[in-house]
Amino acid sequence: MRPIPRRRSLVAAALAALTLTGAAAVPASAAPGGQHRTAYYLAVGDSLAAGYQSTPTGGHIVGRGYAQDLAATLGERAARDHRPFEFTDLGCPGETTGTMANGGCPYPHSFGGSQLEAAVAYLKAHWKDEVLVTIDIGANDVQRCAAGGSLDLPCAMNGIEQVRTGLDRILGELQQAAGPHTRIVGMNLYDPFLAAWMTGDQGKAMATASVPLAGALNSVIETVDARHRVPTADVAGAFDTTSFAPLVPLGGQQVPLNVARIMQWTNMARGDIHANDAGYQVIADQFLAKLPKQYLH
């Protein structure tokens, strides 16, 4: 498998991606059975795909995230077209690119091996069907690098490199298993560490420093996606991740727009990096924006 170029070669990688083959979308009407065939949606990824949220009492729930929001919308559209619809969520809280590929999901799940093996088996079983696959992965490869209120730069760069190689393998194996009517869509990531802005001058410095690292991670994700001809839902853009201006009101003070987005659309007010209901819907909307016409009736 050819290695992914690093940041200095991002433009070349994007251009090279135009010559590579991938799992192209084929309209449902072009497939045998047309619009009456079952539409399938497979979500793979980490806790965001699993719909993980903490609760105010200190517990947590799963199954209330962007994949569920997206499935609800797609299910409604399929019903209007008189099409059956099936949704499967393999998302594993705590998953990294390494555990997704090699096994070791740290959360109880239905699959016994790796999430990637389960996804590949699913796609092979549905090779002739119309399947949408969404994927988010990479946050857990780097999030440990901000423990203790400071950023560990070597740790973060090593984590980004792990995402570069790990995501390449994951998308390659998914596309090998995918049939002609499968569509894979990835996503980039918001920056939860912007919330440190709310903790004082040291926190503001950490929040400011976190944005270039988030940008480096997202550039790698987008470049690997482009190599595999996988569109990337722009979650970072929707969360205004790089926008330290304008200042907007939040809790009786003026804060940068990107900080306000994180505080309003995630549970970072209680130290939980995961999106809340509003944030998950924003993510789902970014996936919807990348879907081909047969999903948009």
Side-chain angles (χ1 to χ4, degrees), residues 59-218:
H60 72 271
I61 58 174
V62 294
R64 203 169 86 187
Y66 76 78
Q68 288 73 31
D69 292 337
L70 185 55
T73 299
L74 297 178
E76 291 171 1
R77 293 173 179 177
R80 287 202 303 265
D81 289 341
H82 306 288
R83 299 185 65 193
F85 176 78
E86 292 187 14
F87 168 48
T88 300
D89 191 349
L90 298 179
C92 169
E95 197 86 289
T96 66
T97 54
T99 61
M100 177 179 278
N102 301 315
C105 170
Y107 198 88
H109 220 294
S110 58
F111 48 84
S114 73
Q115 184 179 171
L116 180 58
E117 289 171 344
V120 164
Y122 181 98
L123 291 177
K124 288 181 177 178
H126 292 282
W127 193 88
K128 294 182 179 180
D129 297 318
E130 180 186 309
V131 183
L132 169 67
V133 181
T134 60
I135 178 170
D136 78 88
I137 196 68
N140 292 317
D141 292 73
V142 298
Q143 102 173 30
R144 69 185 186 281
C145 303
S150 62
L151 287 172
D152 183 337
L153 183 58
C155 171
M157 297 311 294
N158 181 63
I160 291 171
E161 175 66 12
Q162 290 173 358
V163 174
R164 184 180 70 84
T165 56
L167 182 58
D168 182 45
R169 173 186 171 184
I170 290 165
L171 290 180
E173 292 193 23
L174 290 176
Q175 288 190 314
Q176 276 192 322
H181 312 300
T182 293
R183 177 75 164 188
I184 303 173
V185 183
M187 64 170 265
N188 59 23
L189 301 166
Y190 58 82
D191 177 6
F193 303 112
L194 282 164
W197 185 279
M198 306 296 293
T199 64
D201 290 342
Q202 183 175 353
K204 289 179 180 178
M206 177 178 172
T208 301
S210 73
V211 170
L213 287 175
L217 173 60
N218 285 332

Side-chain angles (χ1 to χ4, degrees), residues 190-272:
Y190 58 82
D191 177 6
F193 303 112
L194 282 164
W197 185 279
M198 306 296 293
T199 64
D201 290 342
Q202 183 175 353
K204 289 179 180 178
M206 177 178 172
T208 301
S210 73
V211 170
L213 287 175
L217 173 60
N218 285 332
S219 290
V220 165
I221 291 172
E222 292 158 11
T223 300
V224 177
D225 284 354
R227 179 176 187 253
H228 291 275
R229 301 182 69 181
V230 168
T232 307
D234 188 13
V235 173
F239 274 69
D240 294 297
T241 297
T242 63
S243 299
F244 284 97
L247 298 180
V248 297
L250 180 73
Q253 59 181 306
Q254 297 287 312
V255 303
L257 177 61
N258 53 0
V259 175
R261 293 284 192 245
I262 287 298
M263 300 307 297
Q264 293 166 336
W265 291 347
T266 75
N267 289 310
M268 280 300 289
R270 54 174 178 261
D272 174 19

Side-chain angles (χ1 to χ4, degrees), residues 1-16:
M1 185 174 293
R2 198 173 62 181
I4 296 296
R6 293 172 172 78
R7 283 183 63 84
R8 63 178 179 269
S9 302
L10 293 179
V11 175
L15 291 174

